[in-house]
Amino acid sequence: MVRSPLPIYARTRAASGKPGSAAGFAALSGSGRVVRPAVSVLRPVPATPSLYQLSTHAGKVDTVWHLSSHGPRRPLPIPVWRSGFRDGFAGRALFNKPTGLAVDRRGRVYVADSLNHCIRRIAPSGRVTTLAGNGERGVADGSGRKARFNHPTGLALSPANELYVVDQGNGLIRRLNPDGQVISLAPCGRPLGGIAIDGQGLIYLLIELRLGDQAQVALSRLDPSTGENAVLADWEGRLQWLPYRSGEEMQPFSRWWLRRGGRPQLVEINETRLGEGLGLASDARGNLHWLAGYHLYRLEQAGDELQLQRQAIQIDLWPMARWQGLSVDAEGVVHVLDAHHHSLYRIQPGGEAECVFAAGSQGLLSPHSVATDAYGQIYISDTGHWRVCRLVPPGRETLLQLAKLAFLPYLPAPPEPDTVLKGLQRVVERYLRRKPPPVDAGPLPAPVVAETHVLNVLSQGKRSQQLAVVKELVDLLRRPGQHLGPLQTVFETLLAHPDASVRTLLIRHLCDLVHHERDALFWIALLDRHHEPNRLLKKYLIEVLVYLGGRYELYGHVVPLLVEYVRAPEEDVVEHVFQHLLAIRQSGYESLVDPLIEELGK
């Protein structure tokens, strides 16, 4: 039983007493105390489960078929996710605890593969490559696979397209340059995973800082050009970024000296349990957002003026929610993950909150990080399933498909529909200029001439001649108006040809030869009498039969043929046909599929 999400209670209005305070946030001082009592109203916001459709962007899953022990014994698919270390295309690549995510303007997704101790990249085409690290734990700078990491977690991209990595096991910040060089930077405390970069290239970290015998979670700033660290503190009556070096708290007469009264007070996040991953993000205005406990914090930076605001996030009946990842899109909308209940929540700038993806049997398992690209697509590191997922917002599917068709690059902001249409127009114009105008091909040859010609070549010609005549026949029959009945002997000869390459050339173009229902019935009857020995061609014939059944609503003729493929000795062929039979059954043909499967089981 899938547990449905419960209503979220969001604090939607707060009066901080200061001009310019955003709705839903209360202004705080550096020590975390409310400057003026905030008047707020808690109202339930209904949670709408699964507003977005979840798909696997990269990661390998195998399907195991299990006979149900309840009711009729029928095979049920069970997904089994695989972990490991392997590059390749999206469906074959293997990860081992993917955590941090980042997306650049070209749509490339960067992944911190924690237990493989390396940084991976997923191209828009789906190909996964390793940028730095080789699966061995260690600490070493260098180029590409010569570098060593120890449990990398957080990722962030700078305006110069430099990737910064939180090397949590080594307590360092690593910079991966576009040329592949890895350089180490030292923070002033132990980084906890949260990292963000503003428009000036400054790095912000959530760190564990020890002052005396106490460990505090603080917000620090690192300048990569100079290596100087600063922490956010309440000093001289206002929030400031104060320079800090490890060990200064024990040096006499320094501003951090523990024996001296009146030292700066860190803006401590007291609600956070140490060891949990913390989300930190920067918006388009340079404001910082992070989650601690059940509060969303925002640090507004306008020159030297800093203002810390807090917004309560309360969920009724789910007191054990554990916030893990955080991202802010161009419109100021915050997406946050609940790793305990495997769900994704969206928080509007005004404070309204809703669940956009709820946990399910095929959903997320201990998600860690979330990132958003320029088109509004949401990427999630599904740590428990060793994969990277993608969520497409409702209404954006058509725009994404048209943008890919028009070869539009990834932009800082989503393209307007007019831009997509103009791109499509340019593609069509280039195609028309390159393609020569059609010419009159003359009268079509009679089918009997083609039959005689093909049979002679198949019986006496060389292999290259046989392939050429099959291609000639296919090109001829692609034109509508041809009758396939007189060529039945030719097709039977081709399907029984001993050379698999000749059969492959026909089967690959078989769907192009079907123009109406009569042609589909002709091919179904031929394939019913054909017994294909090649394993790969069996799987292709399964695809052909499924296409004919769905295109012309001939499942009554196709399903009995598909069930016969279950008797095949190859396991991958049986798995392939079972997946299609299950999809046909779920589309409303239970009465057609179930009796045949039960009869086969007997």
Side-chain angles (χ1 to χ4, degrees):
M1 178 179 178
V2 179
R3 185 178 182 182
S4 60
L6 299 173
I8 302 173
Y9 282 80
R11 194 175 299 270
T12 60
R13 181 175 299 178
S16 64
K18 291 189 176 183
S21 179
F25 285 89
L28 302 178
S29 67
S31 60
R33 294 177 288 104
V34 178
V35 176
R36 189 171 296 181
V39 180
S40 58
V41 179
L42 287 177
R43 66 177 182 86
V45 179
T48 305
S50 303
L51 290 179
Y52 298 168
Q53 295 297 321
L54 180 73
S55 63
T56 300
H57 190 55
K60 181 175 176 54
V61 60
D62 294 331
T63 302
V64 176
W65 292 89
H66 176 71
L67 288 177
S68 174
S69 59
H70 303 284
R73 294 181 62 82
R74 60 189 62 168
L76 299 176
I78 300 176
V80 179
W81 297 96
R82 303 298 184 185
S83 64
F85 184 29
R86 183 173 66 194
D87 291 342
F89 287 101
R92 293 180 51 84
L94 297 178
F95 298 87
N96 197 355
K97 193 182 178 182
T99 52
L101 293 179
V103 186
D104 64 10
R105 293 184 177 182
R106 299 180 62 182
R108 298 177 296 188
V109 182
Y110 299 86
V111 185
D113 200 350
S114 294
L115 293 186
N116 283 328
H117 314 290
C118 63
I119 307 301
R120 319 284 291 277
R121 182 177 65 189
I122 308 173
S125 62
R127 188 167 187 84
V128 180
T129 56
T130 300
L131 295 181
N134 64 352
E136 297 181 3
R137 180 186 305 178
V139 52
D141 293 343
S143 176
R145 291 180 176 265
K146 296 181 180 179
R148 296 291 183 272
F149 297 87
N150 186 1
H151 201 274
T153 52
L155 295 180
L157 277 167
S158 71
N161 205 32
E162 298 169 333
L163 183 67
Y164 288 87
V165 184
V166 177
D167 194 353
Q168 197 161 351
N170 292 321
L172 297 172
I173 303 300
R174 317 292 292 279
R175 182 176 67 199
L176 179 58
N177 295 329
D179 59 359
Q181 289 290 331
V182 177
I183 301 174
S184 298
L185 301 173
C188 58
R190 184 174 73 90
L192 299 177
I195 182 172
I197 299 179
D198 61 10
Q200 300 177 357
L202 298 177
I203 306 172
Y204 299 90
L205 303 166
L206 289 174
I207 62 171
E208 177 190 352
L209 195 62
R210 302 193 68 88
L211 293 179
D213 297 332
Q214 296 183 353
Q216 303 180 21
V217 178
L219 181 64
S220 69
R221 186 183 68 185
L222 173 61
D223 189 345
S225 60
T226 61
E228 296 181 355
N229 287 280
V231 294
L232 185 64
D234 187 359
W235 178 241
E236 296 178 348
R238 62 187 181 93
L239 291 177
Q240 300 183 48
W241 289 108
L242 296 182
Y244 179 86
R245 295 181 181 179
S246 299
E248 282 189 348
E249 66 276 4
M250 304 304 297
Q251 296 179 5
F253 309 110
S254 71
R255 70 179 67 181
W256 301 101
W257 192 26
L258 296 180
R259 298 181 182 179
R260 176 184 170 188
R263 65 178 182 272
Q265 297 294 321
L266 292 176
V267 179
E268 184 183 3
I269 306 174
N270 298 312
E271 301 164 285
T272 303
R273 295 187 293 271
L274 295 180
E276 290 187 1
L278 303 178
L280 181 65
S282 175
D283 59 20
R285 299 181 178 179
N287 301 324
L288 297 178
H289 301 253
W290 70 90
L291 277 163
Y294 289 94
H295 290 91
L296 175 64
Y297 289 83
R298 182 172 71 189
L299 179 66
E300 294 185 353
Q301 304 186 82
D304 295 334
E305 294 294 329
L306 304 179
Q307 185 178 3
L308 181 62
Q309 299 177 341
R310 182 178 67 181
Q311 180 183 12
I313 303 175
Q314 299 185 12
I315 300 182
D316 190 21
L317 299 180
W318 276 7
M320 298 301 293
R322 180 163 60 92
W323 309 114
Q324 187 71 31
L326 177 84
S327 71
V328 185
D329 61 14
E331 300 176 355
V333 178
V334 176
H335 289 90
V336 57
L337 289 169
D338 179 7
H340 185 76
H341 298 99
H342 324 295
S343 303
L344 176 68
Y345 294 91
R346 179 175 61 194
I347 305 174
Q348 300 290 345
E352 295 80 6
E354 60 180 337
C355 176
V356 296
F357 185 82
S361 60
Q362 304 289 332
L364 304 173
L365 180 61
S366 300
H368 188 278
S369 297
V370 58
T372 309
D373 68 1
Y375 287 92
Q377 297 181 106
I378 302 173
Y379 298 90
I380 299 174
S381 56
D382 190 4
T383 302
H385 288 147
W386 303 294
R387 63 171 176 167
V388 177
C389 301
R390 182 179 62 180
L391 295 173
V392 179
R396 290 292 180 92
E397 298 87 350
T398 304
L399 179 62
L400 288 171
Q401 293 176 359
L402 290 176
K404 291 181 180 179
L405 183 60
F407 301 101
L408 289 178
Y410 275 76
L411 306 173
E416 298 294 334
D418 292 342
T419 305
V420 176
L421 293 178
K422 291 180 181 178
L424 286 174
Q425 184 178 2
R426 290 194 299 269
V427 172
V428 173
E429 290 176 352
R430 288 199 303 266
Y431 176 76
L432 292 178
R433 286 197 301 266
R434 183 177 57 208
K435 186 176 180 180
V439 296
D440 187 8
L444 298 178
V448 65
V449 176
E451 178 184 8
T452 305
H453 175 62
V454 172
L455 290 177
N456 289 337
V457 175
L458 290 178
S459 61
Q460 303 175 7
K462 299 180 180 179
R463 178 175 176 271
S464 59
Q465 295 174 334
Q466 293 174 353
L467 293 174
V469 77
V470 173
K471 187 177 184 303
E472 178 184 351
L473 177 64
V474 169
D475 293 340
L476 174 67
L477 295 178
R478 277 177 175 171
R479 305 171 185 176
Q482 296 287 355
H483 297 285
L484 303 180
L487 299 176
Q488 179 175 347
T489 305
V490 175
F491 293 131
E492 290 177 347
T493 305
L494 283 173
L495 291 175
H497 199 281
D499 193 341
S501 60
V502 176
R503 302 197 306 272
T504 301
L505 187 58
L506 173 65
I507 294 174
R508 281 179 54 192
H509 299 89
L510 196 149
C511 293
D512 298 336
L513 310 183
V514 180
H515 304 291
H516 41 71
E517 183 178 346
R518 183 185 63 228
D519 297 340
L521 291 172
F522 172 81
W523 281 109
I524 291 174
L526 274 182
L527 296 178
D528 188 17
R529 299 189 296 269
H530 173 61
H531 299 283
E532 176 58 48
N534 187 277
R535 177 177 60 88
L536 296 178
L537 289 182
K538 284 181 182 179
K539 298 171 71 173
Y540 204 94
L541 285 175
I542 292 172
E543 298 286 345
V544 171
L545 290 172
V546 172
Y547 167 77
L548 296 178
R551 177 67 176 81
Y552 299 100
E553 298 183 357
L554 297 175
Y555 281 133
H557 299 268
V558 168
V559 169
L561 274 67
L562 294 176
V563 173
E564 289 301 321
Y565 280 97
V566 180
R567 305 179 188 273
E570 299 89 356
E571 294 183 1
D572 57 340
V573 175
V574 177
E575 179 182 347
H576 191 65
V577 71
F578 259 128
Q579 291 178 354
H580 285 292
L581 286 174
L582 181 63
I584 294 173
R585 182 183 182 276
Q586 292 177 348
S587 61
Y589 292 90
E590 297 91 344
S591 60
L592 181 62
V593 177
D594 291 350
L596 294 174
I597 295 295
E598 292 177 2
E599 182 180 355
L600 182 65
K602 295 178 183 180

